[in-house]
Amino acid sequence: MASAPEDPVLQRYFKGHKAAITSADFSPDGKQLATGSWDTFLMLWSFKPQARAFRYVGHKDVVTSVQFSPLGNLLASASRDRTVRLWIPDKRGKSSEFKAHTAPVRSVDFSADGQFLATASEDKSIKVWNMYRQRFLYSLYRHTHWVRCAKFSPDGRLIVSCSEDKTIKIWDTTNKQCVNNFSDFVGFANFVDFNPNGTCIASAGSDHTVKIWDIRVNKLLQHYQVHSGGVNCVSFHPSGNYLITASSDGMLKILDLLEGRLIYTLQGHTGPVFTVTFSKGGELFTSGGADAQVLLWRTNFDELNCKDVIKRNLKRLHFDSPPHLLDIYPRTPHPQEGKIETVETTETTVHTLPDKGEEICGYFLNPSLMSSECSPTTLKKKTEEMSDLPYENQRSIPLAVTDALEHIMEQLNVLTQTVSILEQRLTLTEDKLKDCLENQQRLFNAIQQKS
């Protein structure tokens, strides 16, 4: 019989940045962590004992976003210097620079197949780039204020974006049109992302709220008011069952989306927390903020791997396919409807110390941000019931069918990767053929001129 899940714990902390951490991402193999900072540098951290970290220098202003490509062979970064850079994540850290935006770039995001990169900017546009040819493809214009974030859906057919114009827009990458629009009259979303199966989006609000929307029926499923400051970032657990949030109130919150309640409050940072993200397997997550600290946490509360989590929650999960574009309606602005009732809260507080907890004060890089005493990491377990739960129409699927579907998905992933490699080789062959034809033409012209 499996042991009961444990509380998340602070496992490690990294020092090296000289200013606030703005973004972080795990490598696909889970062995490295990339971070960006106000100090204009990227840092690449290895989880091996005594391994040295690499600092990448190239941007001339704040690094606002970092992300590994799906294969881990590239690292993309965005900056307030109006550029996007692609780095080779090794000790040399060579990079190429993309210039197309006319204002600071706020986010970068690879499509799941690694073929495309989406960038969002304060020039009010989202731009999409081809990664194999490393060329600009097209722009998406409909926002009327700075675009804070843009993310691909898991299948790459959609892009979701949020802006200070107080809208969240969903775009069709095939016809480059805006196909849906969510409006809010209070604040704007700082960050937005799809859940792992692409049916819902989560937004991190400047009005201190976290919202979960079902994009198939344009319904606000859940509305959490658990922070006392603006929410800067959210990250879905790979199972889709949990969401972690980072806020300017200095707290991390972990939400159980199946039960619609807050389950943990984590206090490890001094000052605002700007970024949080789960590792690809969900066993770790990392956070960074104004105190220039990068904290690495072990999840623990969900010890089972993603496949086991899905099987365990079969009766509580939807197994719908990703939304078809025709399911996304209407195509008019969709204001938030109604208020979601919140039931009274009961909470228990658990005080735990990380390993070597007595040393944690020494790793705060900004003495002015340190408290006089180094308080232990505080974990608050809360039950905060929400009246509107997302999973009302439930159905179960036999385990044999799920196993077969998982096997099919694995084979499809292999085929997708094979097709991507073949496409890359075809592109190279086309370029070589073009060069050969141009050389032949030059020779032919030279011979004609001589004769």
Side-chain angles (χ1 to χ4, degrees):
M1 212 174 145
S3 59
E6 297 179 10
D7 297 330
V9 295
L10 179 60
Q11 183 168 297
R12 290 182 68 177
Y13 27 89
F14 300 99
K15 60 177 184 177
H17 281 295
K18 298 175 182 178
I21 311 299
T22 57
S23 181
D25 192 41
F26 287 92
S27 61
D29 62 10
K31 295 179 180 178
Q32 291 177 305
L33 179 69
T35 54
S37 168
W38 276 69
D39 62 13
T40 75
F41 304 131
L42 279 75
M43 296 285 288
L44 186 64
W45 314 88
S46 172
F47 296 154
K48 293 178 182 177
Q50 280 82 47
R52 56 177 295 196
F54 299 113
R55 174 181 289 168
Y56 295 161
V57 180
H59 283 297
K60 298 175 178 65
D61 206 334
V62 174
V63 179
T64 54
S65 179
V66 296
Q67 192 185 54
F68 279 98
S69 64
L71 295 178
N73 59 328
L74 290 173
L75 180 62
S77 63
S79 171
R80 293 195 63 83
D81 65 9
R82 305 182 181 186
T83 69
V84 174
R85 281 183 177 266
L86 279 184
W87 308 80
I88 297 173
D90 57 17
K91 62 182 180 181
R92 298 177 68 184
K94 286 187 175 181
S95 70
S96 54
E97 186 179 66
F98 296 131
K99 291 181 178 179
H101 286 291
T102 58
V105 189
R106 299 300 293 260
S107 81
V108 289
D109 187 60
F110 283 98
S111 59
D113 58 9
Q115 292 188 49
F116 305 103
L117 183 75
T119 59
S121 168
E122 291 179 11
D123 63 11
K124 307 177 189 176
S125 76
I126 299 116
K127 296 189 185 297
V128 177
W129 310 75
N130 182 306
M131 285 294 94
Y132 289 149
R133 299 188 178 216
Q134 296 199 1
R135 293 175 185 168
F136 166 73
L137 288 180
Y138 59 88
S139 294
L140 301 172
Y141 291 104
R142 281 286 292 279
H143 283 295
T144 58
H145 209 310
W146 297 348
V147 186
R148 307 281 303 218
C149 179
K151 295 278 186 179
F152 281 102
S153 61
D155 61 10
R157 293 182 304 138
L158 302 173
I159 290 174
V160 64
S161 62
C162 62
S163 165
E164 292 191 18
D165 63 12
K166 299 184 179 180
T167 67
I168 294 172
K169 297 185 186 297
I170 295 176
W171 310 79
D172 176 3
T173 58
T174 304
N175 61 25
K176 286 81 172 172
Q177 296 298 312
C178 177
V179 294
N180 209 344
N181 192 46
F182 297 92
S183 300
D184 203 331
F185 301 114
V186 182
F188 56 84
N190 287 312
F191 188 92
V192 67
D193 201 5
F194 284 93
N195 70 337
N197 70 4
T199 58
C200 298
I201 56 172
S203 64
S206 64
D207 59 353
H208 310 179
T209 64
V210 176
K211 295 174 184 174
I212 313 289
W213 309 81
D214 188 325
I215 64 172
R216 297 165 297 183
V217 293
N218 283 356
K219 184 182 179 184
L220 177 64
L221 295 179
Q222 294 177 330
H223 180 188
Y224 295 93
Q225 293 179 298
V226 293
H227 285 288
S228 60
V231 187
N232 298 313
C233 190
V234 298
S235 179
F236 280 98
H237 187 274
S239 68
N241 298 347
Y242 304 97
L243 185 77
I244 190 165
T245 64
S247 168
S248 293
D249 64 11
M251 303 293 181
L252 299 171
K253 306 272 185 178
I254 298 172
L255 307 170
D256 185 326
L257 301 181
L258 295 177
E259 298 184 12
R261 65 189 181 98
L262 171 67
I263 56 173
Y264 289 105
T265 292
L266 307 180
Q267 185 176 351
H269 289 279
T270 301
V273 188
F274 295 128
T275 183
V276 66
T277 185
F278 277 107
S279 62
K280 304 302 181 277
E283 68 281 355
L284 298 170
F285 61 92
T286 187
S287 60
D291 57 10
Q293 286 197 114
V294 180
L295 303 186
L296 182 68
W297 308 77
R298 182 159 291 280
T299 305
N300 285 343
F301 59 82
D302 190 7
E303 291 178 333
L304 303 174
N305 64 38
C306 284
K307 291 181 181 179
D308 292 334
V309 169
I310 291 169
K311 290 176 183 176
R312 184 182 65 180
N313 292 297
L314 275 175
K315 294 182 180 179
R316 300 194 289 171
L317 282 174
H318 287 288
F319 277 84
D320 300 332
S321 59
H324 189 273
L325 292 176
L326 296 178
D327 296 332
I328 303 173
Y329 60 90
R331 300 192 179 190
T332 54
H334 178 75
Q336 177 188 331
E337 294 177 358
K339 292 183 179 179
I340 294 183
E341 184 182 344
T342 306
V343 181
E344 276 189 23
T345 315
T346 60
E347 71 176 51
T348 58
T349 303
V350 182
H351 293 285
T352 61
L353 278 173
D355 293 338
K356 300 183 181 177
E358 67 279 2
E359 297 176 11
I360 193 167
C361 280
Y363 285 83
F364 280 83
L365 301 181
N366 189 340
S368 65
L369 294 175
M370 287 176 58
S371 56
S372 57
E373 292 182 19
C374 190
S375 60
T377 304
T378 306
L379 307 178
K380 292 183 183 176
K381 241 183 183 175
K382 293 191 179 180
T383 44
E384 192 156 328
E385 302 295 340
M386 312 301 289
S387 63
D388 193 2
L389 298 181
Y391 302 110
E392 293 166 359
N393 302 321
Q394 301 153 349
R395 63 184 186 207
S396 61
I397 291 180
L399 289 177
V401 177
T402 351
D403 289 336
L405 288 172
E406 287 170 1
H407 179 69
I408 291 168
M409 288 302 296
E410 288 170 2
Q411 295 302 313
L412 285 172
N413 286 335
V414 172
L415 285 171
T416 304
Q417 290 179 5
T418 305
V419 169
S420 298
I421 293 168
L422 289 173
E423 184 181 354
Q424 189 175 10
R425 289 178 177 174
L426 183 61
T427 302
L428 292 171
T429 306
E430 286 175 350
D431 291 342
K432 287 181 180 178
L433 184 59
K434 185 179 176 182
D435 291 340
C436 288
L437 289 171
E438 287 175 353
N439 289 333
Q440 280 185 337
Q441 187 64 41
R442 287 195 202 98
L443 287 170
F444 180 72
N445 291 339
I447 291 167
Q448 276 192 330
Q449 287 174 359
K450 287 180 180 178
S451 60

